[in-house]
Amino acid sequence: MARVTPLHRDDPDKEPLAGNVRVTKQDWLNVALDTLITDGIEQVKVLALADRMSVSRSSFYWYFKSRQDLLDALLDHWLATNTKAIITAAEKDARTVTEAVCNIFIGFVDPNQFSTTLDFAIRDWARRSGKVRRVIDTSDAQRLAAITQVFERFGYPSDESLIRAKVLYYMQIGYNDADLQEPMDARQSQVGHYIHAFTGQHASEAELTAFRAAIGAFAP
Amino acid sequence: MARVTPLHRDDPDKEPLAGNVRVTKQDWLNVALDTLITDGIEQVKVLALADRMSVSRSSFYWYFKSRQDLLDALLDHWLATNTKAIITAAEKDARTVTEAVCNIFIGFVDPNQFSTTLDFAIRDWARRSGKVRRVIDTSDAQRLAAITQVFERFGYPSDESLIRAKVLYYMQIGYNDADLQEPMDARQSQVGHYIHAFTGQHASEAELTAFRAAIGAFAP
DNA sequence: GTCTGTCTAGACACTTCTGTCTAGAGGCGT
DNA sequence: ACGCCTCTAGACAGAAGTGTCTAGACAGAC
């Protein structure tokens, strides 16, 4: 009954002694999160998580009241990370629209700020849970409002700003949904076209190279 | 054990006699499709479908070899309808880019051509099935190619056409994913801004009113 | 060293799926 | 009227999931 390394342990200080079969509440959460992302919410099953950590299933009920209790914790985690990341990216100071749009792009792409895979695992989950749907709708509205304000800040009229925010935001959602396989390079080299579609303006070559450099850091 | 009306029977000629508890293979498919759309693929369970038709669960196995057999049939149905609809809409004759883009819009919105809800129920399903994922990727590529050709047909350079196709297509996917609640009217009144973002050109007032009239037919 | 509180293993009870098998109801051709 | 063919009901078996209970291992406080 050897203990395997947990998948996403963030605090190495809490690592239990070797040979110890005990796990922390955070371990359960990390494995649950990983399973949610790769296999979907309905695969987050107590037995499956326990097996993955080589621990007894009944141990779970020491940390969580029920499976639902764990799922609530996962949703809370998402709320505290992803939505906050986009809003922060949108509010970041910028001297031109292009720069601001690039900031948002980077916010979506930088894995330190935003987890794309988690985002659409949650979005997925929302389709079978009205409660999650409501949480996500609020979150989408907040993100959209933040992006809309970017355009307004640069002088776009109010109604046009909303449309541009939607084109940008929904395009990101759709991209994540349908086109994750495509290598980042393709998008990079065409980034001028994207920016023109989003802002209605042509970006300067300096802005484009700055963006390519910034985004290049996250290429696979 | 009274027989209830099936939900999506399309051929009334095959309606069994009143009081007869028998159902057709098509009945199973229709109820399965409806359940897939409203509750997701993992809720397509033999017992649930049987209950909904007030029929015995074991009757299912007369028509289908297994549950998987039914799921395959659902995927085939989607392939034969939705993807075909978008390609047809893109290939439709148009005199201006705006008109062509509007045709695609209408293709996505007209429930007689395209089922939005089915489309993203399938997309949802793809996240937990590698096989479905592959089918959907092929399908997305075909839709994207058809939309790209629209822009090329109107003189956009090849690489720019692909980008514009993606902005348009992914924005639709993202919209379906995140914003289905919003009333259609809002999008209608702002349609000029959308078209400008997609084509880079300003649509004439005549084109806009024509579009509004066309899309108005499908408003709720 | 012992006690106590923390956590885990394993057995148990219950529910909900899938799939099989068999008897038989009922329409339809002859 | 008879039998065949089509389809359904219900019993059965088995897998997989959640949640509970109890004994006990182990670490740390004292």
Side-chain angles (χ1 to χ4, degrees):
Chain A
M1 206 65 86
R3 187 174 193 290
V4 293
T5 312
L7 292 113
H8 284 110
R9 179 180 290 278
D10 12 24
D11 186 0
D13 293 353
K14 289 192 175 173
E15 190 81 44
L17 302 173
N20 189 339
V21 288
R22 299 209 163 182
V23 293
T24 65
K25 179 166 184 171
Q26 193 58 47
D27 285 332
W28 283 102
L29 280 169
N30 290 338
V31 177
L33 201 57
D34 190 82
T35 306
L36 167 62
I37 288 171
T38 58
D39 300 323
I41 195 66
E42 82 283 357
Q43 290 305 314
V44 178
K45 295 168 188 171
V46 180
L47 179 60
L49 304 182
D51 278 352
R52 204 156 147 187
M53 295 190 291
S54 298
V55 91
S56 171
R57 191 176 63 82
S58 51
S59 156
F60 172 85
Y61 293 94
W62 178 262
Y63 300 103
F64 298 93
K65 191 183 142 216
S66 65
R67 178 176 179 259
Q68 188 57 50
D69 190 23
L70 170 67
L71 300 191
D72 290 345
L74 291 176
L75 190 57
D76 286 343
H77 174 265
W78 171 80
L79 265 178
T81 55
N82 271 21
T83 295
K84 191 161 179 295
I86 295 306
I87 292 174
T88 304
E91 286 175 346
K92 195 176 172 187
D93 277 338
R95 294 191 294 184
T96 63
V97 214
T98 299
E99 200 180 319
V101 165
C102 289
N103 283 339
I104 299 171
F105 254 79
I106 291 170
F108 273 105
V109 165
D110 180 0
N112 297 322
Q113 298 183 46
F114 183 86
S115 168
T116 301
T117 48
L118 174 60
D119 207 64
F120 82 132
I122 297 277
R123 204 164 287 281
D124 194 31
W125 179 11
R127 295 204 187 87
R128 17 190 125 54
S129 162
K131 181 189 156 196
V132 177
R133 177 81 259 174
R134 282 187 292 279
V135 172
I136 235 183
D137 281 345
T138 307
S139 199
D140 274 335
Q142 289 170 348
R143 295 178 186 190
L144 213 47
I147 301 176
T148 304
Q149 279 169 19
V150 169
F151 287 106
E152 287 177 347
R153 213 187 309 151
F154 286 98
Y156 289 76
S158 179
D159 57 347
E160 183 180 341
S161 294
L162 179 60
I163 301 301
R164 292 205 176 275
K166 287 187 174 187
V167 170
L168 172 52
Y169 182 58
Y170 295 153
M171 194 265 168
Q172 276 295 335
I173 303 289
Y175 176 87
N176 291 342
D177 199 335
D179 206 8
L180 271 180
Q181 329 300 337
E182 183 190 334
M184 180 61 65
D185 311 333
R187 221 161 131 217
Q188 245 180 289
S189 67
Q190 311 295 350
V191 76
H193 288 132
Y194 281 111
I195 290 177
H196 181 244
F198 293 145
T199 65
Q201 300 179 10
H202 291 282
S204 72
E205 198 52 47
E207 286 174 317
L208 290 182
T209 42
F211 176 72
R212 288 201 193 92
I215 216 172
F218 311 114
Chain B
M1 207 64 85
R3 186 175 194 288
V4 292
T5 312
L7 293 111
H8 284 108
R9 180 180 289 279
D10 13 25
D11 187 357
D13 294 352
K14 289 190 175 174
E15 190 82 45
L17 301 172
N20 189 339
V21 287
R22 300 206 164 185
V23 293
T24 65
K25 179 166 185 172
Q26 192 60 46
D27 286 333
W28 283 103
L29 281 169
N30 290 339
V31 176
L33 202 58
D34 190 81
T35 306
L36 166 63
I37 288 172
T38 58
D39 300 324
I41 195 67
E42 81 284 359
Q43 291 304 316
V44 178
K45 295 167 187 171
V46 181
L47 179 60
L49 304 183
D51 278 353
R52 205 156 148 187
M53 296 190 291
S54 300
V55 92
S56 171
R57 192 176 63 82
S58 52
S59 157
F60 172 85
Y61 294 94
W62 178 261
Y63 300 104
F64 299 92
K65 192 183 142 216
S66 66
R67 177 177 179 258
Q68 189 57 52
D69 191 21
L70 170 68
L71 301 191
D72 290 345
L74 290 177
L75 190 56
D76 286 343
H77 174 265
W78 171 78
L79 266 178
T81 54
N82 270 21
T83 294
K84 193 161 179 295
I86 295 307
I87 293 175
T88 304
E91 287 176 345
K92 195 175 173 190
D93 278 339
R95 295 190 293 184
T96 63
V97 214
T98 300
E99 199 180 322
V101 165
C102 289
N103 283 338
I104 298 171
F105 254 78
I106 291 170
F108 273 105
V109 166
D110 179 0
N112 297 323
Q113 297 183 46
F114 183 86
S115 168
T116 300
T117 49
L118 174 61
D119 207 63
F120 82 131
I122 297 276
R123 204 164 288 281
D124 194 30
W125 180 11
R127 297 205 185 86
R128 19 189 123 55
S129 162
K131 181 187 155 197
V132 176
R133 178 80 258 175
R134 282 188 291 279
V135 172
I136 236 183
D137 281 345
T138 307
S139 199
D140 274 335
Q142 288 170 347
R143 296 178 185 190
L144 213 47
I147 300 177
T148 303
Q149 279 170 19
V150 168
F151 288 106
E152 289 178 346
R153 214 186 308 151
F154 286 98
Y156 289 76
S158 178
D159 57 346
E160 185 181 340
S161 294
L162 179 60
I163 301 302
R164 292 204 176 276
K166 287 187 175 187
V167 170
L168 173 53
Y169 182 58
Y170 294 152
M171 193 266 168
Q172 276 295 334
I173 303 289
Y175 176 87
N176 290 343
D177 199 335
D179 205 9
L180 270 180
Q181 329 302 337
E182 184 189 332
M184 179 62 65
D185 312 331
R187 219 162 132 217
Q188 245 180 288
S189 67
Q190 310 295 350
V191 74
H193 288 133
Y194 281 111
I195 289 176
H196 180 244
F198 293 144
T199 65
Q201 300 181 9
H202 290 282
S204 71
E205 199 50 47
E207 286 174 316
L208 290 182
T209 43
F211 176 72
R212 289 202 193 91
I215 217 172
F218 311 116

